[in-house]
């Protein structure tokens, strides 16, 4: 069985192809929109995705050495994400399903990140840190769904760091040679400055930290602020993670999403793992950011469990939470 997956929730339009036998991932092709200045505008994302979609689709089929006729289902990330970007992926997926008479499979973007993590790390029953530009969630699987133990109360960890470096003219680009520019900037820091640290139970709040860091630019060197905002943000995350570990007694921590690629976060997680005698499993860099392969693989699992959707019901869901999704293949 082969499934083609389409990812278009934010800055990346990706197409992946997965099958139900090793090596599982046959293709993973993507193109990421990088604005010349400022943040991402939904209209610009939609234009980018619509422009690159035909080429990305063709390259994925070529990479997988297969044809669209050999595909059993079309999986598409219907949310969460930015509406105009989501709609491009949905239109492409519906068109393929209609023209070639393929089953349409709805995939939650976050579930895609989590399932590609299971596949690539061989995690069995982990506490999951889902960290990206749009999500900061501590979760685990329990009785048919991924249950959330903690999350951001406002903006996501990745988004907070992106906004800061953009506002102080360090980005775009946000990642250089595999490292986030906030990490590159922090390498020149000399002092840790006082910034907000907000953990409420197992939830975190990053908006006040961002505001205070931007105000601090009038008083402190930028490298010191980069270092301090990163340290506070990661320490907040780790405090909430330790509480979830104490509650769940898990022996594995699986980290997925774009922020999983952070070397500085990995060093902190290694110390936590030593204290709690747990194993850290981090999704490989090629699957940490948004990609079509994770949608294809999650779609494959869903299709094998009979999860499909009529085209007329395949509306996009910009605020679709992972704890709203039934996961029959893990029962």
């Amino acid at each position: 069985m082969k499934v083609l997956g389409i990812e278009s929730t934010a800055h990346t339009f990706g197409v992946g192809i997965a099958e139900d036998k090793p090596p599982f991932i046959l293709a993973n092709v993507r193109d990421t929109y990088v604005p010349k200045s400022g943040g991402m505008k939904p209209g610009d994302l939609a234009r980018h995705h619509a422009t690159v979609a035909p080429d990305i689709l063709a390259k994925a089929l070529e990479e997988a050495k297969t044809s669209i006729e050999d595909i059993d289902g079309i999986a598409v990330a219907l949310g969460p994400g930015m509406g105009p970007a989501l709609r491009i992926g949905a239109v492409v997926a519906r068109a393929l399903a209609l023209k070639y008479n393929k089953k349409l499979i709805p995939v939650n973007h976050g579930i895609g990140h989590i399932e590609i993590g299971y596949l690539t790390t061989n995690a069995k029953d982990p506490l999951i840190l889902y960290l990206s530009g749009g999500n900061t969630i501590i979760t685990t699987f329990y009785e048919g769904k991924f249950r959330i133990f903690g999350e951001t109360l406002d903006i996501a960890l990745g988004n907070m760091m992106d906004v800061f470096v953009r506002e102080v003219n360090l980005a775009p680009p946000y990642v250089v040679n595999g490292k986030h520019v906030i990490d590159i900037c922090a390498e020149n820091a000399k002092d840790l400055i006082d910034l907000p640290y907000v953990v409420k139970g197992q939830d975190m709040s990053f908006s006040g930290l961002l505001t205070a860091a931007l105000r601090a630019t009038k008083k402190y060197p930028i490298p010191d602020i980069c270092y301090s905002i990163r340290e506070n943000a990661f320490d907040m995350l780790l405090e909430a993670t330790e509480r979830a570990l104490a509650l769940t007694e898990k022996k594995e921590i699986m980290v997925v999403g774009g922020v999983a690629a952070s070397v500085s976060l990995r060093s902190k997680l290694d110390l936590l793992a030593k204290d709690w005698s747990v194993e850290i499993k981090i999704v490989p860099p090629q699957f940490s950011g948004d990609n079509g392969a994770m949608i294809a693989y999650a779609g494959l699992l869903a299709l094998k469990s009979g999860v499909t959707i009529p085209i007329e019901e395949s509306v996009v869901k910009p605020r679709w939470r992972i704890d709203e999704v039934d996961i029959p293949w893990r029962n």
Side-chain angles (χ1 to χ4, degrees):
M1 183 177 288
K2 294 179 182 177
V3 169
L4 183 147
I6 297 173
E7 158 63 28
S8 71
T9 59
H11 53 27
T12 298
F13 186 90
V15 176
I17 297 175
E19 67 175 348
D20 56 351
K21 61 182 180 181
F24 298 107
I25 304 303
L26 302 180
N28 187 27
V29 182
R30 56 189 156 185
D31 192 285
T32 299
Y33 172 73
V34 179
K36 294 180 180 179
S37 63
M40 297 184 297
K41 298 178 181 178
D44 292 341
L45 290 178
R47 279 188 290 274
H48 167 267
H49 294 355
T51 301
V52 304
D55 188 47
I56 298 300
L57 177 61
K59 286 181 178 178
L61 290 168
E62 181 181 358
E63 184 176 297
K65 295 181 173 60
T66 192
S67 67
I68 194 69
E69 287 78 11
D70 296 326
I71 299 296
D72 296 285
I74 307 296
V76 58
L78 291 179
M82 302 177 75
L86 285 168
R87 281 191 280 274
I88 299 300
V91 167
V92 174
R94 294 178 197 131
L96 291 172
L98 274 172
K99 179 173 176 60
Y100 297 102
N101 193 28
K102 306 296 182 182
K103 294 177 180 178
L104 188 63
I105 310 155
V107 173
N108 177 287
H109 174 83
I111 300 300
H113 274 296
I114 290 170
E115 289 299 348
I116 202 71
Y118 275 107
L119 174 67
T120 56
T121 68
N122 294 313
K124 304 303 179 186
D125 183 27
L127 182 70
I128 302 163
L129 304 186
Y130 170 26
L131 313 172
S132 67
N135 298 275
T136 302
I137 294 172
I138 302 170
T139 183
T140 195
F141 182 77
Y142 180 72
E143 293 188 351
K145 290 186 178 182
F146 286 99
R147 313 291 175 168
I148 294 177
F149 291 98
E151 60 187 325
T152 178
L153 296 172
D154 36 59
I155 60 175
L157 172 58
N159 180 246
M160 183 271 295
M161 293 193 297
D162 286 351
V163 171
F164 177 76
V165 294
R166 184 172 71 239
E167 291 297 315
V168 297
N169 297 315
L170 293 176
Y174 299 92
V175 177
V176 178
N177 296 326
K179 295 179 70 174
H180 196 281
V181 292
I182 203 167
D183 289 321
I184 297 172
C185 175
E187 292 173 357
N188 298 314
K190 295 181 180 179
D191 294 302
L192 181 72
I193 67 172
D194 185 27
L195 291 175
Y197 180 101
V198 184
V199 179
K200 299 181 179 181
Q202 287 177 195
D203 294 327
M204 300 139 281
S205 173
F206 296 107
S207 60
L209 174 59
L210 173 61
T211 301
L214 290 173
R215 288 175 177 168
T217 59
K218 299 176 181 179
K219 185 177 180 182
Y220 298 99
I222 296 297
D224 288 353
I225 305 172
C226 285
Y227 175 66
S228 302
I229 193 174
R230 184 195 71 187
E231 292 299 295
N232 273 25
F234 286 168
D235 287 351
M236 288 158 56
L237 174 66
L238 263 62
E239 179 182 335
T241 300
E242 287 191 273
R243 292 181 179 178
L245 275 177
L247 176 64
T248 62
E249 299 182 340
K250 299 292 185 184
K251 296 303 179 183
E252 300 171 303
I253 297 176
M254 183 174 76
V255 189
V256 301
V259 183
S262 171
V263 176
S264 54
L265 176 61
R266 175 60 190 258
S267 64
K268 287 179 175 290
L269 287 170
D270 286 340
L271 293 173
L272 182 147
K274 184 177 180 180
D275 287 343
W276 286 82
S277 299
V278 298
E279 190 174 357
I280 303 296
K281 298 191 172 184
I282 299 179
V283 67
Q286 66 267 35
F287 298 116
S288 61
D290 294 351
N291 63 88
M294 69 184 194
I295 304 303
Y297 183 66
L300 176 67
L301 297 175
L303 182 59
K304 289 173 72 70
S305 295
V307 178
T308 60
I309 191 171
I311 289 176
E312 60 271 19
E313 296 178 15
S314 60
V315 296
V316 299
K317 304 175 182 178
R319 296 185 180 275
W320 194 14
R321 291 172 58 89
I322 62 170
D323 54 359
E324 297 172 347
V325 183
D326 291 320
I327 313 292
W329 57 89
R330 292 207 165 271
N331 286 334

